[in-house]
Amino acid sequence: MKVVKTIEEVRNQVKEWRKQGLTVGLVPTMGYLHEGHASLIEASHRDNGRTVVSDFVNPMQFAPTEDLESYPRDIELDSAVVEAHGGDIIFNPEPEEMYHDDFSSFVDMTVLTEELCGLSRPIHFRGVCTVVAKLFNIVKPDRAYFGKKDAQQLAVIRHMVDDLNMDIEIIGCPIVREPDGLAKSSRNTYLSETERKSALILSESIFMGMDMVRNGEKNCSVIVNSMKEHINTEPLAKIDYVKIVDCKTMQQIPELDRPALCAIAVYIGKTRLIDNFFTEDV
Ligand code: PAF
């Protein structure tokens, strides 16, 4: 299992695999890999001859006030995870390799990025779309794998691939949770012991929302308000949003009369965590 730093190296490797008739899967990550990433790598390993894992903390998707500097990094840990779960190569470029000095082309998206995380992180999805489009052009995978925890990101990427006629199949993989319910995230490492306990309020409210849907509740305000009330019982939690949106357009809906996404973002202390459920998965 190799770690490569340059675009040329990863392209040459993929060309060799293509000559051997192998299909290629891409798992885009920002590193500090956990079981959620491992499940994406395993899915790619199952579906493809070879798997590239990109490991790049993309500066373009962080606002100046966000956690770019403190974002956890550990290439040795990542290499062990990739190797153990069937990945074949890690692409771990430096920022200068991805963005040269006069870099000036961006992939931007309207509508889908106007709600949820797009509202609280206005430049985020432009950074995500740009880097993912670059990774797609560099690796030219048959399939690419993304976690459903970043549900809006998954919808945005699917839309970008469709809009820009990118010939890549996008596979969304289920959220992986800790045994007590907390969704796996590299940002969970920011939590103190007390905050880690408080963070359970996210999954608790998600499970509560799922139960309400299972029991036939169709009114989105009723579901959202109950979830908000529950989150507000936790003193360390501060709600960024709790919303129910149309799965495709990411616009809020009043009634559960179509496939929908219920998504939440909550600060636990200074750490912003997200979680969600798709009504179709309930
Ligand atoms: O989900 C992530 O880790 C990142 O947003 C991604 C898709 C790797 C782009 O930097």
Side-chain angles (χ1 to χ4, degrees):
M1 216 276 312
K2 272 198 286 191
V3 178
V4 302
K5 305 289 290 179
T6 67
I7 294 169
E8 197 189 346
E9 280 171 292
V10 74
R11 277 196 164 144
N12 287 342
Q13 179 61 82
V14 171
K15 272 187 204 148
E16 257 181 49
W17 290 335
R18 292 286 184 203
K19 274 192 213 142
Q20 296 164 31
L22 295 164
T23 56
V24 177
L26 171 67
V27 181
T29 82
M30 297 206 299
Y32 215 69
L33 305 180
H34 50 66
E35 287 88 338
H37 299 111
S39 75
L40 306 181
I41 300 168
E42 282 173 5
S44 174
H45 179 65
R46 269 195 307 274
D47 298 346
N48 302 284
R50 292 289 182 269
T51 292
V52 179
V53 178
S54 65
D55 187 327
F56 177 60
V57 183
N58 174 35
M60 200 189 282
Q61 68 191 69
F62 290 79
T65 51
E66 292 181 343
D67 56 341
L68 173 63
E69 293 311 320
S70 55
Y71 198 85
R73 295 160 170 87
D74 187 341
I75 191 67
E76 274 171 29
L77 163 90
D78 294 348
S79 304
V81 174
V82 172
E83 178 126 48
H85 295 276
D88 296 284
I89 195 172
I90 300 185
F91 175 46
N92 176 227
E94 294 303 320
E96 310 79 64
E97 179 71 5
M98 292 297 275
Y99 302 114
H100 46 72
D101 283 347
D102 59 350
F103 186 87
S104 44
S105 304
F106 301 90
V107 181
D108 215 342
M109 188 179 290
T110 54
V111 187
L112 260 73
T113 61
E114 285 160 6
E115 262 294 353
L116 309 177
C117 292
L119 262 185
S120 12
R121 306 183 70 191
I123 60 137
H124 176 68
F125 285 112
R126 173 168 128 136
V128 170
C129 287
T130 303
V131 80
V132 170
K134 281 173 69 67
L135 290 167
F136 286 176
N137 283 331
I138 292 165
V139 177
K140 298 200 180 78
D142 298 281
R143 300 179 188 85
Y145 296 78
F146 296 88
K148 285 188 179 177
K149 184 168 83 67
D150 293 297
Q152 187 177 16
Q153 168 171 283
L154 178 59
V156 163
I157 287 164
R158 282 193 198 286
H159 206 80
M160 173 184 81
V161 162
D162 190 39
D163 279 351
L164 302 182
N165 310 101
M166 294 168 162
D167 192 11
I168 295 168
E169 191 184 345
I170 302 301
I171 317 275
C173 298
I175 294 178
V176 178
R177 297 182 180 279
E178 301 285 356
D180 62 4
L182 182 68
K184 299 260 183 191
S185 164
S186 307
R187 289 191 168 99
N188 291 348
T189 54
Y190 296 154
L191 301 170
S192 69
E193 214 176 300
T194 320
E195 289 172 338
R196 172 66 183 76
K197 284 190 194 125
S198 309
L200 282 183
I201 203 73
L202 279 95
S203 50
E204 280 173 21
S205 73
I206 287 293
F207 299 149
M208 168 192 261
M210 288 172 90
D211 272 345
M212 293 178 82
V213 174
R214 223 174 271 131
N215 292 332
E217 182 58 66
K218 296 262 179 240
N219 185 317
C220 294
S221 307
V222 171
I223 301 169
V224 163
N225 289 338
S226 305
M227 291 171 68
K228 280 184 173 169
E229 255 175 47
H230 184 63
I231 296 168
N232 285 333
T233 61
E234 171 48 61
L236 292 185
K238 193 170 143 275
I239 295 176
D240 179 358
Y241 64 75
V242 176
K243 284 182 183 169
I244 298 182
V245 296
D246 176 298
C247 264
K248 286 224 165 85
T249 63
M250 296 285 126
Q251 300 298 307
Q252 286 192 77
I253 52 172
E255 283 286 315
L256 287 185
D257 54 1
R258 67 199 96 173
L261 166 72
C262 174
I264 69 177
V266 177
Y267 285 93
I268 301 292
K270 288 201 168 105
T271 307
R272 184 175 174 281
L273 299 174
I274 57 173
D275 203 342
N276 69 66
F277 68 92
F278 286 87
T279 52
E280 292 216 309
D281 294 341
V282 164

